[in-house]
Amino acid sequence: MMVQADLHSRRQSPVRITEVCPRDGLQHEPEFIPTTRKIALINALSRTGVVEIEAGSFVSPAAVPQLADSDEVFRAIERASGVIYSALVPNERGLERARAAAVDKIAVFTAASDSFTQRNINATVLGSLARFKPIVTAAKRDRMAVRAYLSTVVCCPYEGRVAPAHVRDVMKRLLDLDVDDISLGETIGTASPSDIRALLDTVLPHVELARLSLHFHDTYGMAVANALTAWWDYGITAFDCSAGGLGGCPSAPGASGNVATEDLVFALKASGANVPVDELLVVACVRQLGEAVRHPLNSRLSQVLQLQNLVPAQKR
Ligand code: HMG
Ligand code: MG
């Protein structure tokens, strides 16, 4: 049982937001977003206070055509000091592309369920870990930081509920690869705060908090509640979010976008958290992305501010 004073001090740590809109947010968009728009989005997000931006994905262009231009995007973005620019890497070929693009950090990705992993990266979970081992070693030798994603941590779209103890076991194997940090993905957005408590009670004894991020999707509108539970009850202060609530995974049909950055930042600040991100600037980024995304956004704050015509101008 955590001592109350420890929990209080953990809650006071600055919240680290990893902005995944340029990757998770856009990867499933049906209409191709022009490369110049992606670059402008990343440049604008760089000025919002987020510490890390997942700016692209070096996966097979056949799997994710929307992000086939990630090499070009990385060449053109203006890198802000203090911001880490990362990209997904599924295999050796992806690592070569990441190296050529001078990414700061790669993210390998697997899941807690075989059916999802097979569809997503054409490997079993164990097969994916074996594939990642040389990639992680080579990336670290080349001074790139490494994140590992572990998806389907509460429910798999093909296998149903996933036991927290199983998530813990796969997570430990990923940590053993010597990745710098791990993001636990609630990929299909069906979890409730009680699911998140059951998961965190099981995994937290096995991972340092400084290495853990949580990645919530918002299909059932529970993502903000889940993140607030993780922050308030466990002192977790690292979250992946996507501006505008965009997002989705080709291997998780029916799942909605990620938790909207602006909504989570607003909710955390309103609850007393220390979040060094300007949610109004995030809303401005979403507006700038504008008509390139031809469907309503899953972001309360963006909708409210746009209705009231209160969106601030972009900072130059
Ligand atoms: P495969 O078919 O087994 O691979 O796919 P392959 O090695 O046989 O290659 C097939 C073709 O892709 C070949 O081209 C390769 O050259 C090419 P062809 O000869 O047919 O013309 N290829 C590549 N091209 C460019 N860059 C590469 C690359 N690799 C192969 N890196 C593979 C295996 C892993 C490549 C494929 O399944 C893949 O790319 N999957 C990625 C799927 C994906 O991006 N899913 C979404 C991200 S995961 C997610 O969203 C969850 C997350 O957000 C967390 C959460 O929410 O839970 C992270
Ligand atoms: Mg995701």
Side-chain angles (χ1 to χ4, degrees):
M1 186 68 191
M2 202 186 311
V3 182
Q4 274 303 319
D6 288 351
L7 180 57
H8 180 74
S9 102
R10 284 178 180 188
R11 283 192 205 121
Q12 298 313 307
S13 304
V15 173
R16 287 178 61 84
I17 298 289
T18 296
E19 175 55 69
V20 298
C21 180
R23 192 281 301 174
D24 201 341
L26 300 187
Q27 71 184 7
H28 206 39
E29 281 299 319
E31 301 257 348
F32 187 75
I33 314 276
T35 307
T36 49
R37 288 261 192 180
K38 290 173 180 150
I39 295 163
L41 173 68
I42 294 163
N43 289 345
L45 289 168
S46 300
R47 297 187 282 265
T48 59
V50 297
V51 289
E52 191 163 329
I53 301 179
E54 206 165 70
S57 183
F58 297 114
V59 299
S60 159
V64 181
Q66 179 65 254
L67 300 182
D69 57 356
S70 286
D71 315 73
E72 206 180 329
V73 166
F74 265 95
R75 270 199 300 278
I77 52 175
E78 293 158 18
R79 301 188 193 211
S81 81
V83 177
I84 296 166
Y85 295 89
S86 63
L88 287 197
V89 162
N91 55 16
E92 299 275 0
R93 172 89 188 276
L95 180 64
E96 275 168 39
R97 291 173 63 198
R99 200 182 278 124
V103 308
D104 299 316
K105 182 171 184 177
I106 65 160
V108 293
F109 54 108
T110 188
S113 52
D114 274 326
S115 316
F116 178 86
T117 315
Q118 199 71 56
R119 282 174 176 81
N120 205 33
I121 54 171
N122 198 16
T124 59
V125 174
L126 286 181
S128 71
L129 299 176
R131 191 193 283 172
F132 297 158
K133 198 172 170 34
I135 295 175
V136 175
T137 307
K140 298 201 86 160
R141 191 191 55 223
D142 293 346
R143 297 183 190 285
M144 287 182 263
V146 181
R147 157 178 270 210
Y149 277 108
L150 178 54
S151 292
T152 66
V153 296
V154 173
C155 208
C156 167
Y158 310 102
E159 296 177 18
R161 289 191 78 81
V162 176
H166 181 63
V167 176
R168 175 200 61 209
D169 293 347
V170 183
M171 181 190 80
K172 283 169 70 178
R173 284 170 175 267
L174 278 168
L175 292 170
D176 286 346
L177 295 179
D178 201 24
V179 298
D180 296 286
D181 58 75
I182 187 152
S183 172
L184 299 184
E186 207 285 273
T187 314
I188 62 172
T190 57
S192 67
S194 62
D195 296 317
I196 299 310
R197 285 191 196 98
L199 175 71
L200 293 176
D201 286 340
T202 307
V203 301
L204 284 187
H206 304 276
V207 57
E208 300 114 273
L209 273 198
R211 289 173 83 189
L212 180 69
S213 288
L214 297 179
H215 179 111
F216 291 114
H217 283 259
D218 200 31
T219 318
Y220 282 75
M222 301 292 268
V224 167
N226 289 337
L228 287 182
T229 299
W231 172 69
W232 185 259
D233 290 1
Y234 297 87
I236 289 180
T237 51
F239 298 99
D240 305 346
C241 324
S242 174
L246 292 171
C249 175
S251 312
S256 79
N258 295 76
V259 63
T261 310
E262 56 274 39
D263 288 349
L264 183 57
V265 170
F266 180 87
L268 282 165
K269 283 185 178 174
S271 309
N274 170 7
V275 195
V277 174
D278 185 334
E279 65 276 24
L280 297 183
L281 288 180
V282 177
V283 172
C285 295
V286 173
R287 187 179 209 182
Q288 181 180 308
L289 187 60
E291 68 278 8
V293 173
R294 293 167 201 257
H295 55 80
L297 297 174
N298 189 21
S299 152
R300 309 295 184 283
L301 195 65
S302 285
Q303 283 164 17
V304 167
L305 295 185
Q306 297 204 12
L307 277 176
Q308 297 175 1
N309 212 14
L310 288 176
V311 181
Q314 278 288 317
K315 253 190 203 162
R316 284 259 126 230

mmCIF file of all heavy atoms in Angstrom, residues 108-111 128-129 132 136 148-151 168-179 182-184 211:
data_model
loop_
_atom_site.group_PDB
_atom_site.id
_atom_site.type_symbol
_atom_site.label_atom_id
_atom_site.label_comp_id
_atom_site.label_asym_id
_atom_site.label_seq_id
_atom_site.Cartn_x
_atom_site.Cartn_y
_atom_site.Cartn_z
ATOM 1 N N VAL A 108 8.958 0.472 -30.750
ATOM 2 C CA VAL A 108 8.558 -0.856 -31.221
ATOM 3 C C VAL A 108 7.179 -1.144 -30.626
ATOM 4 O O VAL A 108 6.803 -0.549 -29.622
ATOM 5 C CB VAL A 108 9.590 -1.937 -30.825
ATOM 6 C CG1 VAL A 108 10.901 -1.720 -31.543
ATOM 7 C CG2 VAL A 108 9.812 -1.981 -29.312
ATOM 8 N N PHE A 109 6.425 -2.036 -31.261
ATOM 9 C CA PHE A 109 5.052 -2.208 -30.776
ATOM 10 C C PHE A 109 4.574 -3.637 -30.940
ATOM 11 O O PHE A 109 4.715 -4.245 -31.974
ATOM 12 C CB PHE A 109 4.096 -1.208 -31.442
ATOM 13 C CG PHE A 109 4.118 -1.203 -32.950
ATOM 14 C CD1 PHE A 109 3.058 -1.736 -33.672
ATOM 15 C CD2 PHE A 109 5.187 -0.668 -33.651
ATOM 16 C CE1 PHE A 109 3.061 -1.726 -35.059
ATOM 17 C CE2 PHE A 109 5.213 -0.658 -35.045
ATOM 18 C CZ PHE A 109 4.144 -1.188 -35.748
ATOM 19 N N THR A 110 4.012 -4.125 -29.824
ATOM 20 C CA THR A 110 3.409 -5.447 -29.806
ATOM 21 C C THR A 110 2.135 -5.358 -28.968
ATOM 22 O O THR A 110 1.652 -4.258 -28.698
ATOM 23 C CB THR A 110 4.405 -6.503 -29.257
ATOM 24 O OG1 THR A 110 3.852 -7.799 -29.427
ATOM 25 C CG2 THR A 110 4.752 -6.275 -27.789
ATOM 26 N N ALA A 111 1.598 -6.516 -28.573
ATOM 27 C CA ALA A 111 0.349 -6.500 -27.808
ATOM 28 C C ALA A 111 0.351 -7.662 -26.823
ATOM 29 O O ALA A 111 1.241 -8.527 -26.856
ATOM 30 C CB ALA A 111 -0.849 -6.597 -28.742
ATOM 31 N N SER A 128 7.253 -11.385 -31.954
ATOM 32 C CA SER A 128 7.551 -9.945 -32.032
ATOM 33 C C SER A 128 8.684 -9.580 -31.082
ATOM 34 O O SER A 128 9.554 -8.762 -31.418
ATOM 35 C CB SER A 128 6.298 -9.115 -31.741
ATOM 36 O OG SER A 128 5.942 -9.182 -30.376
ATOM 37 N N LEU A 129 8.710 -10.209 -29.902
ATOM 38 C CA LEU A 129 9.783 -9.886 -28.947
ATOM 39 C C LEU A 129 11.136 -10.303 -29.520
ATOM 40 O O LEU A 129 12.132 -9.573 -29.394
ATOM 41 C CB LEU A 129 9.538 -10.594 -27.608
ATOM 42 C CG LEU A 129 8.232 -10.206 -26.885
ATOM 43 C CD1 LEU A 129 8.061 -11.045 -25.629
ATOM 44 C CD2 LEU A 129 8.215 -8.732 -26.540
ATOM 45 N N PHE A 132 12.170 -7.781 -32.038
ATOM 46 C CA PHE A 132 12.582 -6.473 -31.500
ATOM 47 C C PHE A 132 13.983 -6.492 -30.893
ATOM 48 O O PHE A 132 14.649 -5.457 -30.844
ATOM 49 C CB PHE A 132 11.616 -5.993 -30.411
ATOM 50 C CG PHE A 132 10.209 -5.756 -30.870
ATOM 51 C CD1 PHE A 132 9.150 -5.776 -29.968
ATOM 52 C CD2 PHE A 132 9.922 -5.502 -32.209
ATOM 53 C CE1 PHE A 132 7.848 -5.556 -30.388
ATOM 54 C CE2 PHE A 132 8.621 -5.288 -32.635
ATOM 55 C CZ PHE A 132 7.579 -5.323 -31.714
ATOM 56 N N VAL A 136 16.219 -3.163 -30.866
ATOM 57 C CA VAL A 136 16.443 -2.329 -29.669
ATOM 58 C C VAL A 136 17.949 -2.157 -29.447
ATOM 59 O O VAL A 136 18.439 -1.037 -29.208
ATOM 60 C CB VAL A 136 15.772 -2.957 -28.424
ATOM 61 C CG1 VAL A 136 16.109 -2.170 -27.162
ATOM 62 C CG2 VAL A 136 14.253 -3.037 -28.615
ATOM 63 N N ALA A 148 8.604 1.022 -25.948
ATOM 64 C CA ALA A 148 7.850 -0.169 -26.373
ATOM 65 C C ALA A 148 6.380 0.069 -26.072
ATOM 66 O O ALA A 148 6.029 0.521 -24.976
ATOM 67 C CB ALA A 148 8.326 -1.404 -25.625
ATOM 68 N N TYR A 149 5.543 -0.204 -27.062
ATOM 69 C CA TYR A 149 4.097 -0.188 -26.849
ATOM 70 C C TYR A 149 3.633 -1.602 -26.562
ATOM 71 O O TYR A 149 4.033 -2.542 -27.268
ATOM 72 C CB TYR A 149 3.369 0.262 -28.113
ATOM 73 C CG TYR A 149 3.287 1.743 -28.319
ATOM 74 C CD1 TYR A 149 4.047 2.360 -29.298
ATOM 75 C CD2 TYR A 149 2.412 2.525 -27.569
ATOM 76 C CE1 TYR A 149 3.947 3.728 -29.522
ATOM 77 C CE2 TYR A 149 2.312 3.893 -27.777
ATOM 78 C CZ TYR A 149 3.074 4.484 -28.752
ATOM 79 O OH TYR A 149 2.973 5.825 -28.961
ATOM 80 N N LEU A 150 2.751 -1.705 -25.580
ATOM 81 C CA LEU A 150 2.073 -2.972 -25.335
ATOM 82 C C LEU A 150 0.565 -2.691 -25.433
ATOM 83 O O LEU A 150 0.006 -1.979 -24.598
ATOM 84 C CB LEU A 150 2.465 -3.498 -23.953
ATOM 85 C CG LEU A 150 1.811 -4.790 -23.495
ATOM 86 C CD1 LEU A 150 2.004 -5.906 -24.512
ATOM 87 C CD2 LEU A 150 2.406 -5.225 -22.157
ATOM 88 N N SER A 151 -0.041 -3.191 -26.521
ATOM 89 C CA SER A 151 -1.456 -2.911 -26.802
ATOM 90 C C SER A 151 -2.357 -3.969 -26.175
ATOM 91 O O SER A 151 -1.882 -4.968 -25.632
ATOM 92 C CB SER A 151 -1.694 -2.897 -28.313
ATOM 93 O OG SER A 151 -1.053 -1.803 -28.903
ATOM 94 N N ARG A 168 1.144 -8.157 -17.335
ATOM 95 C CA ARG A 168 2.361 -8.015 -16.509
ATOM 96 C C ARG A 168 3.500 -8.868 -17.083
ATOM 97 O O ARG A 168 4.638 -8.391 -17.211
ATOM 98 C CB ARG A 168 2.047 -8.443 -15.071
ATOM 99 C CG ARG A 168 3.258 -8.446 -14.156
ATOM 100 C CD ARG A 168 2.996 -9.323 -12.935
ATOM 101 N NE ARG A 168 2.737 -10.697 -13.324
ATOM 102 C CZ ARG A 168 1.968 -11.563 -12.647
ATOM 103 N NH1 ARG A 168 1.368 -11.190 -11.530
ATOM 104 N NH2 ARG A 168 1.772 -12.802 -13.091
ATOM 105 N N ASP A 169 3.194 -10.110 -17.457
ATOM 106 C CA ASP A 169 4.256 -11.004 -17.928
ATOM 107 C C ASP A 169 4.866 -10.514 -19.244
ATOM 108 O O ASP A 169 6.090 -10.522 -19.410
ATOM 109 C CB ASP A 169 3.712 -12.433 -18.087
ATOM 110 C CG ASP A 169 3.336 -13.041 -16.738
ATOM 111 O OD1 ASP A 169 3.728 -12.464 -15.696
ATOM 112 O OD2 ASP A 169 2.626 -14.068 -16.737
ATOM 113 N N VAL A 170 4.016 -10.052 -20.171
ATOM 114 C CA VAL A 170 4.564 -9.553 -21.449
ATOM 115 C C VAL A 170 5.336 -8.249 -21.199
ATOM 116 O O VAL A 170 6.407 -8.017 -21.764
ATOM 117 C CB VAL A 170 3.458 -9.341 -22.512
ATOM 118 C CG1 VAL A 170 4.071 -8.886 -23.830
ATOM 119 C CG2 VAL A 170 2.639 -10.612 -22.724
ATOM 120 N N MET A 171 4.792 -7.414 -20.328
ATOM 121 C CA MET A 171 5.480 -6.154 -20.006
ATOM 122 C C MET A 171 6.880 -6.420 -19.456
ATOM 123 O O MET A 171 7.856 -5.755 -19.842
ATOM 124 C CB MET A 171 4.653 -5.367 -18.983
ATOM 125 C CG MET A 171 5.264 -4.050 -18.595
ATOM 126 S SD MET A 171 4.422 -3.275 -17.192
ATOM 127 C CE MET A 171 5.154 -4.196 -15.836
ATOM 128 N N LYS A 172 7.002 -7.409 -18.584
ATOM 129 C CA LYS A 172 8.317 -7.714 -18.000
ATOM 130 C C LYS A 172 9.299 -8.154 -19.093
ATOM 131 O O LYS A 172 10.467 -7.778 -19.084
ATOM 132 C CB LYS A 172 8.177 -8.797 -16.930
ATOM 133 C CG LYS A 172 7.600 -8.228 -15.632
ATOM 134 C CD LYS A 172 7.192 -9.289 -14.652
ATOM 135 C CE LYS A 172 8.357 -10.035 -14.047
ATOM 136 N NZ LYS A 172 7.868 -11.040 -13.057
ATOM 137 N N ARG A 173 8.804 -8.915 -20.059
ATOM 138 C CA ARG A 173 9.685 -9.353 -21.150
ATOM 139 C C ARG A 173 10.136 -8.160 -21.993
ATOM 140 O O ARG A 173 11.292 -8.091 -22.425
ATOM 141 C CB ARG A 173 8.965 -10.352 -22.051
ATOM 142 C CG ARG A 173 8.845 -11.736 -21.437
ATOM 143 C CD ARG A 173 7.916 -12.579 -22.281
ATOM 144 N NE ARG A 173 7.837 -13.939 -21.832
ATOM 145 C CZ ARG A 173 8.602 -14.937 -22.299
ATOM 146 N NH1 ARG A 173 9.493 -14.702 -23.229
ATOM 147 N NH2 ARG A 173 8.466 -16.162 -21.832
ATOM 148 N N LEU A 174 9.227 -7.211 -22.205
ATOM 149 C CA LEU A 174 9.608 -6.008 -22.969
ATOM 150 C C LEU A 174 10.643 -5.193 -22.191
ATOM 151 O O LEU A 174 11.632 -4.707 -22.755
ATOM 152 C CB LEU A 174 8.372 -5.148 -23.252
ATOM 153 C CG LEU A 174 7.520 -5.578 -24.436
ATOM 154 C CD1 LEU A 174 6.187 -4.838 -24.431
ATOM 155 C CD2 LEU A 174 8.240 -5.352 -25.766
ATOM 156 N N LEU A 175 10.417 -5.043 -20.885
ATOM 157 C CA LEU A 175 11.378 -4.279 -20.079
ATOM 158 C C LEU A 175 12.741 -4.960 -20.089
ATOM 159 O O LEU A 175 13.780 -4.298 -20.095
ATOM 160 C CB LEU A 175 10.853 -4.106 -18.652
ATOM 161 C CG LEU A 175 9.624 -3.195 -18.514
ATOM 162 C CD1 LEU A 175 9.040 -3.284 -17.105
ATOM 163 C CD2 LEU A 175 9.959 -1.746 -18.854
ATOM 164 N N ASP A 176 12.728 -6.299 -20.129
ATOM 165 C CA ASP A 176 13.993 -7.047 -20.170
ATOM 166 C C ASP A 176 14.783 -6.775 -21.457
ATOM 167 O O ASP A 176 15.978 -7.032 -21.515
ATOM 168 C CB ASP A 176 13.737 -8.558 -20.066
ATOM 169 C CG ASP A 176 13.355 -8.964 -18.650
ATOM 170 O OD1 ASP A 176 13.541 -8.145 -17.726
ATOM 171 O OD2 ASP A 176 12.837 -10.091 -18.487
ATOM 172 N N LEU A 177 14.102 -6.288 -22.491
ATOM 173 C CA LEU A 177 14.823 -5.932 -23.722
ATOM 174 C C LEU A 177 15.622 -4.642 -23.530
ATOM 175 O O LEU A 177 16.308 -4.196 -24.440
ATOM 176 C CB LEU A 177 13.851 -5.740 -24.891
ATOM 177 C CG LEU A 177 13.066 -6.960 -25.377
ATOM 178 C CD1 LEU A 177 12.145 -6.560 -26.530
ATOM 179 C CD2 LEU A 177 14.007 -8.065 -25.820
ATOM 180 N N ASP A 178 15.430 -3.995 -22.383
ATOM 181 C CA ASP A 178 16.143 -2.767 -22.054
ATOM 182 C C ASP A 178 15.598 -1.550 -22.806
ATOM 183 O O ASP A 178 16.353 -0.646 -23.183
ATOM 184 C CB ASP A 178 17.654 -2.948 -22.313
ATOM 185 C CG ASP A 178 18.464 -1.938 -21.532
ATOM 186 O OD1 ASP A 178 17.950 -1.442 -20.505
ATOM 187 O OD2 ASP A 178 19.580 -1.612 -21.968
ATOM 188 N N VAL A 179 14.299 -1.548 -23.039
ATOM 189 C CA VAL A 179 13.690 -0.343 -23.613
ATOM 190 C C VAL A 179 13.707 0.751 -22.555
ATOM 191 O O VAL A 179 13.764 0.467 -21.361
ATOM 192 C CB VAL A 179 12.242 -0.625 -24.085
ATOM 193 C CG1 VAL A 179 12.229 -1.671 -25.185
ATOM 194 C CG2 VAL A 179 11.340 -1.040 -22.930
ATOM 195 N N ILE A 182 7.864 2.292 -21.492
ATOM 196 C CA ILE A 182 6.824 1.402 -22.016
ATOM 197 C C ILE A 182 5.484 2.124 -21.929
ATOM 198 O O ILE A 182 5.210 2.830 -20.960
ATOM 199 C CB ILE A 182 6.821 0.068 -21.239
ATOM 200 C CG1 ILE A 182 5.862 -0.914 -21.875
ATOM 201 C CG2 ILE A 182 6.487 0.228 -19.777
ATOM 202 C CD1 ILE A 182 6.260 -2.359 -21.652
ATOM 203 N N SER A 183 4.694 1.966 -22.983
ATOM 204 C CA SER A 183 3.364 2.562 -23.001
ATOM 205 C C SER A 183 2.337 1.442 -23.055
ATOM 206 O O SER A 183 2.373 0.601 -23.960
ATOM 207 C CB SER A 183 3.222 3.473 -24.228
ATOM 208 O OG SER A 183 1.891 3.909 -24.347
ATOM 209 N N LEU A 184 1.450 1.423 -22.078
ATOM 210 C CA LEU A 184 0.405 0.397 -22.047
ATOM 211 C C LEU A 184 -0.819 0.937 -22.772
ATOM 212 O O LEU A 184 -1.386 1.968 -22.379
ATOM 213 C CB LEU A 184 0.046 0.038 -20.598
ATOM 214 C CG LEU A 184 1.189 -0.537 -19.750
ATOM 215 C CD1 LEU A 184 0.675 -0.935 -18.366
ATOM 216 C CD2 LEU A 184 1.845 -1.738 -20.440
ATOM 217 N N ARG A 211 9.258 4.997 -16.094
ATOM 218 C CA ARG A 211 9.335 4.318 -17.401
ATOM 219 C C ARG A 211 7.955 4.018 -17.984
ATOM 220 O O ARG A 211 7.867 3.391 -19.036
ATOM 221 C CB ARG A 211 10.120 3.002 -17.260
ATOM 222 C CG ARG A 211 11.589 3.196 -17.023
ATOM 223 C CD ARG A 211 12.262 1.865 -16.729
ATOM 224 N NE ARG A 211 12.612 1.113 -17.922
ATOM 225 C CZ ARG A 211 13.059 -0.154 -17.898
ATOM 226 N NH1 ARG A 211 13.178 -0.786 -16.743
ATOM 227 N NH2 ARG A 211 13.371 -0.769 -19.011
#
